[in-house]
Amino acid sequence: MGQDKNPQVILVEDDQPLARLMIYCLQQAGFSVEHIMEGRSALEMVNRQQLPALIIIDYLMPYANGLRVTNALRADSLWQAVPIICISDLLSEDTMIGSLRLRSDGFLTKPIQPEKLVKLAKRLSAPDHEIDLIFED
């Protein structure tokens, strides 16, 4: 058997200070984090064969928003099982419905509370996580 590896998280967030905070919190919790700055680059993830344990994606970004990226990932059978957490500073019914419609597994509102981020990331990245939508505000 190979060595144990930290679960990989792909973070798609255009707000650099927020991304640094989230990366720090996730790394301290034992995750390996790859940061992607904008949606257009995130769309290229679909071409990868190596799947992460979890994707955390901002709902509103330039070029390609979180809904567009989530939709592209969910349309690919290889990526359908990867849990996705949407984050947004918009706590509206439309935002939540969009997240539900695209089958994200969790939703966090900004400002991000580190303990909620880590708790949800651990829960959804576990190999035996239950599939249900989790909203944290």
Side-chain angles (χ1 to χ4, degrees), residues 12-135:
V12 186
E13 171 60 62
D14 61 325
D15 180 334
Q16 190 67 28
L18 176 59
R20 279 195 301 270
L21 171 65
M22 293 173 70
I23 291 166
Y24 175 79
C25 293
L26 291 166
Q27 288 175 336
Q28 291 300 307
F31 291 95
S32 171
V33 183
E34 176 184 349
H35 179 216
I36 298 174
M37 285 287 295
E38 46 93 10
R40 189 171 34 210
S41 297
L43 285 170
E44 296 172 10
M45 285 191 299
V46 177
N47 298 322
R48 295 183 183 185
Q49 296 299 309
Q50 182 73 22
L51 300 178
L54 177 68
I55 298 169
I56 302 172
I57 188 164
D58 189 4
Y59 193 86
L60 295 176
M61 290 181 297
Y63 309 115
N65 67 28
L67 288 178
R68 182 173 171 200
V69 174
T70 301
N71 191 38
L73 293 172
R74 291 299 189 223
D76 186 294
S77 61
L78 184 64
W79 286 84
Q80 287 177 1
V82 178
I84 297 174
I85 298 172
C86 285
I87 57 175
S88 179
D89 53 2
L90 300 175
L91 185 57
S92 71
E93 188 174 314
D94 288 343
T95 305
M96 289 185 212
I97 289 171
S99 183
L100 279 168
R101 194 171 349 124
L102 292 175
R103 300 184 322 255
S104 67
D105 301 280
F107 189 90
L108 291 170
T109 57
K110 294 178 184 179
I112 298 296
Q113 296 179 16
E115 62 280 353
K116 288 185 178 183
L117 169 67
V118 169
K119 180 181 173 184
L120 188 54
K122 284 182 175 182
R123 180 174 175 191
L124 290 176
S125 65
D128 59 349
H129 85 276
E130 294 180 20
I131 298 177
D132 57 354
L133 183 65
I134 303 160
F135 285 94

